[in-house]
Amino acid sequence: MAELDNSSTSSSSGSTLFNRSFTMHANTAEPDAPKVHLLLNNPSSLNRAASISKIYNSIDSVKGKVKKLCNLFESAKSSLTSKELSPKVVLRPTKSIGYSSSFSSSFNNPSIRLPGTEDRIVVYLTSLRGIRRTYEDCYAVRMIFRGFRVWVDERDVSMDSAYKKELQSVLRKKNPSLPQVFIKGKYVGGADVIKSMFEVGELAKILEDFPRIQQPGLVCDCWGDVRFVPCGNCNGSRKVFDEDERFLKRCLECNENGLIRCPNCCS
């Protein structure tokens, strides 16, 4: 009997231990169920998931539209032929820029002439550097003619006002621009015209008849490149003493600056 009691007690204790362990494991698994229930019943989490899915759907739709546009452009490009892609270039025969052009037409215009200069090149210019662009144009024209080694009658309007008045009367303008070029007594034009004629080779054709200087770059021994010397009659004072009338008179041989053209290089 004692053994039966012992076996019963042991079996009851084992059952209680089994039941206890089962209940422990069951209790540990139970808390997950409420979490899932809360996630399913939480509207904010559902809205967040829905918004994320919407964003991905919108991105996919944008990608699809971009692909469609790319396909459209590629199909349009493939449909164009090589003739349509390449611009049509029409080659026109080049016209010789000669006397029939706009800037050379004035060269043959008999209405604008400088009398007494049919055997030379006359350039009206200025040596003053007050206006930079004007001085640079005058210098450029001088260098172009010096490159051809031809003698040029340079008339500096800043050194002698008579040249300015002479140019105004010939061109019939109050304030003509500088420089102005006359070849064989015919009016050619300003700096832009001379540069254009020089670039296309037309100026070289016009200057073929002029003699060349044997020593290019030669500077006058009297007054260098100034082209003016003090008057020998009044020594640059612009006044001379009249012995008959016993008073000073204005010198008629020099200009307003008491200068005359150099007899060596400008004669």
Side-chain angles (χ1 to χ4, degrees):
M1 292 294 291
E3 292 177 355
L4 291 171
D5 293 334
N6 291 328
S7 63
S8 64
T9 56
S10 63
S11 63
S12 64
S13 62
S15 64
T16 55
L17 289 170
F18 178 75
N19 293 329
R20 187 178 297 170
S21 64
F22 180 75
T23 55
M24 288 177 67
H25 287 291
N27 291 330
T28 56
E30 285 176 0
D32 292 337
K35 289 182 180 179
V36 176
H37 183 69
L38 289 172
L39 288 171
L40 293 173
N41 293 330
N42 191 359
S44 62
S45 62
L46 292 173
N47 292 330
R48 188 179 299 169
S51 62
I52 291 171
S53 64
K54 287 180 180 179
I55 290 171
Y56 280 110
N57 292 330
S58 63
I59 291 172
D60 293 335
S61 64
V62 170
K63 287 182 179 179
K65 291 179 179 179
V66 171
K67 288 181 180 179
K68 289 180 181 179
L69 290 173
C70 291
N71 292 329
L72 288 174
F73 281 112
E74 289 177 357
S75 62
K77 287 181 180 180
S78 62
S79 63
L80 291 174
T81 60
S82 60
K83 292 182 180 180
E84 292 176 350
L85 286 174
S86 61
K88 295 181 180 180
V89 179
V90 179
L91 296 177
R92 297 179 179 178
T94 57
K95 184 185 292 185
S96 176
I97 305 178
Y99 296 110
S100 61
S101 61
S102 61
F103 59 80
S104 294
S105 61
S106 60
F107 183 73
N108 283 343
N109 189 359
S111 62
I112 304 177
R113 288 181 175 272
L114 187 62
T117 60
E118 289 78 8
D119 59 342
R120 66 184 67 185
I121 304 166
V122 179
V123 179
Y124 290 90
L125 49 83
T126 179
S127 59
L128 296 180
R129 304 191 183 190
I131 301 175
R132 183 176 180 181
R133 176 64 184 276
T134 302
Y135 175 77
E136 290 178 352
D137 289 341
C138 295
Y139 181 80
V141 170
R142 289 180 67 190
M143 292 301 105
I144 288 173
F145 283 109
R146 288 191 181 186
F148 288 102
R149 297 190 303 168
V150 293
W151 182 78
V152 179
D153 185 2
E154 298 178 358
R155 301 186 177 184
D156 195 343
V157 298
S158 61
M159 299 291 288
D160 194 344
S161 61
Y163 291 145
K164 184 177 181 180
K165 294 178 181 178
E166 184 179 60
L167 183 62
Q168 289 174 347
S169 63
V170 171
L171 297 181
R172 298 176 184 178
K173 293 182 180 179
K174 185 177 181 181
N175 294 314
S177 61
L178 296 175
Q180 297 294 336
V181 180
F182 292 82
I183 299 177
K184 295 181 179 180
K186 301 176 183 179
Y187 175 65
V188 178
D192 295 334
V193 175
I194 297 299
K195 290 177 183 178
S196 300
M197 295 177 69
F198 173 69
E199 289 175 358
V200 301
E202 191 67 25
L203 186 61
K205 296 178 181 179
I206 297 174
L207 300 180
E208 287 178 353
D209 299 334
F210 288 92
R212 298 298 190 265
I213 300 174
Q214 298 298 327
Q215 296 179 357
L218 180 64
V219 179
C220 180
D221 295 332
C222 293
W223 293 98
D225 201 25
V226 180
R227 299 173 302 278
F228 284 90
V229 295
C231 177
N233 188 26
C234 63
N235 295 323
S237 64
R238 299 186 301 165
K239 295 178 182 180
V240 292
F241 181 74
D242 190 353
E243 295 180 356
D244 296 333
E245 297 182 1
R246 297 290 178 179
F247 67 91
L248 294 174
K249 289 184 177 181
R250 170 72 169 84
C251 180
L252 301 178
E253 296 183 5
C254 59
N255 59 15
E256 72 277 7
N257 296 317
L259 303 174
I260 60 173
R261 296 289 297 272
C262 179
N264 292 334
C265 61
C266 297
S267 58

